[in-house]
Amino acid sequence: MPAAAFLSANPGKRAAERWYLIYTPIWGAVAGLVMTTGLAKAWSRSPWGDLAFLVQGVGLWLGGLAGGYLFRAPEDAGRPWWRLYHTKFQLWMFVFAFLGNYWSEYFYEVLHMQYGFRTRWNLHHVPFFLYPMTVAYFTTYGTLINMFRRRAAAWVPAGAPGWTRTAVYLPVCFVVAGLETVLNANPFMRGLFCYDDLPFMLWFGTLVYGLWFVVASPLWFPIDEAPGEDTPLGRVAQSALAGFMLVLLVNEVVRSGVAPYVTTVRRGAIGLDNFGTSCLDR
């Protein structure tokens, strides 16, 4: 299957997406090694652990950020940095990742998520290093969803209703959400990250987390999608804020109207360093 069937027809966007695919196993390997080899646990017990975690988080984000400018398309050689698709997509994902971490009560209250990093540098009950590191995660997730959205749309017959071109790619939103859960909530990370009820998270959490991508991806996908398009940076920021507002609405509907029927909603729960009272191992 040709790569062009998955990547954007816009040269600048296509170059950025290729870099994101190259960088994904790099950030994945670094994060995986830190979390599964005992290094993260050692940092958690160290007085300089917060700094080590922060260097990791910022470093993974900046690595992806720098590469996008270094490996830009030849067609973008003279284009100002703020007009590059890479800049726009990174801004979108930075806003999304920052707000997603800051308003993470849903994961604590409904999905009973636990962090065991023992960090002191936290923002709104979330380890601060996760804010920049999540940009790398979401960059990969967004790129994969974009790619399969294009490919799925190509499968739709020419005479089919327009809405089918959007609906046909929606399953990949839940596949990406499920993969994220499986890769992170594994036995090697139990002392650092876990869910009190992993089977529940695997089905219900994946369903709701996938809805994040369902409501948000239609806003990030059109950015510079067609050759010659130049979406203003201000509009990108507005769409990122609008996308997360939709996410907050999804979270509230689920927390108030759905979750009480399938689990215990613990209002005000803080899933941070709850050793002895949660799934976290000492």
Side-chain angles (χ1 to χ4, degrees):
M1 190 176 293
F6 290 99
L7 299 176
S8 174
N10 185 330
K13 188 170 184 175
R14 184 167 62 247
E17 290 178 334
R18 282 177 173 158
W19 164 244
Y20 300 150
L21 295 176
I22 293 170
Y23 190 63
T24 292
I26 298 174
W27 71 251
V30 172
L33 287 173
V34 169
M35 297 300 173
T36 61
T37 61
L39 190 56
K41 287 188 177 181
W43 291 352
S44 295
R45 293 172 172 84
S46 170
W48 44 262
D50 283 274
L51 179 59
F53 278 122
L54 187 61
V55 169
Q56 178 204 7
V58 174
L60 289 179
W61 171 46
L62 292 182
L65 189 66
Y69 295 116
L70 183 62
F71 300 110
R72 67 172 68 185
E75 291 85 350
D76 283 342
R79 186 182 291 265
W81 66 269
W82 63 87
R83 291 180 56 197
L84 296 175
Y85 168 77
H86 174 59
T87 299
K88 300 169 188 177
F89 194 58
Q90 288 301 296
L91 173 63
W92 211 105
M93 290 302 163
F94 181 86
V95 172
F96 199 63
F98 186 93
L99 297 179
N101 278 289
Y102 190 86
W103 276 286
S104 59
E105 297 97 330
Y106 163 80
F107 288 92
Y108 296 153
E109 296 176 353
V110 176
L111 301 178
H112 311 155
M113 183 180 73
Q114 305 288 337
Y115 286 129
F117 294 104
R118 306 189 188 190
T119 49
R120 298 181 302 276
W121 298 354
N122 305 311
L123 179 60
H124 208 227
H125 309 302
V126 175
F128 188 72
F129 80 94
L130 291 175
Y131 284 77
M133 194 161 77
T134 305
V135 183
Y137 290 19
F138 280 174
T139 295
T140 293
Y141 303 158
T143 300
L144 292 175
I145 291 171
N146 284 355
M147 290 170 60
F148 282 94
R149 174 171 180 156
R150 295 186 193 102
R151 187 58 197 170
W155 290 332
V156 177
W163 61 267
T164 59
R165 296 187 181 278
T166 299
V168 74
Y169 86 95
L170 295 181
V172 77
C173 295
F174 300 98
V175 171
V176 169
L179 286 174
E180 201 262 8
T181 300
V182 171
L183 290 174
N184 284 314
N186 62 72
F188 297 102
M189 294 174 55
R190 191 170 179 84
L192 300 168
F193 175 87
C194 63
Y195 293 96
D196 285 346
D197 188 347
L198 181 57
F200 174 72
M201 173 60 193
L202 288 175
W203 76 268
F204 187 76
T206 295
L207 176 65
V208 181
Y209 193 24
L211 288 175
W212 280 36
F213 301 134
V214 168
V215 300
S217 61
L219 294 175
W220 79 56
F221 178 77
I223 299 171
D224 290 1
E225 176 62 12
E229 283 189 334
D230 188 6
T231 309
L233 199 60
R235 189 185 305 168
V236 171
Q238 291 172 356
S239 71
L241 293 171
F244 197 76
M245 177 56 71
L246 294 175
V247 165
L248 289 178
L249 291 175
V250 168
N251 287 353
E252 191 54 41
V253 168
V254 170
R255 179 168 52 184
S256 300
V258 180
Y261 296 99
V262 293
T263 189
T264 300
V265 178
R266 302 170 183 167
R267 289 280 186 169
I270 298 174
L272 187 65
D273 298 338
N274 293 324
F275 294 97
T277 61
S278 72
C279 56
L280 293 173
D281 292 333
R282 287 190 179 273

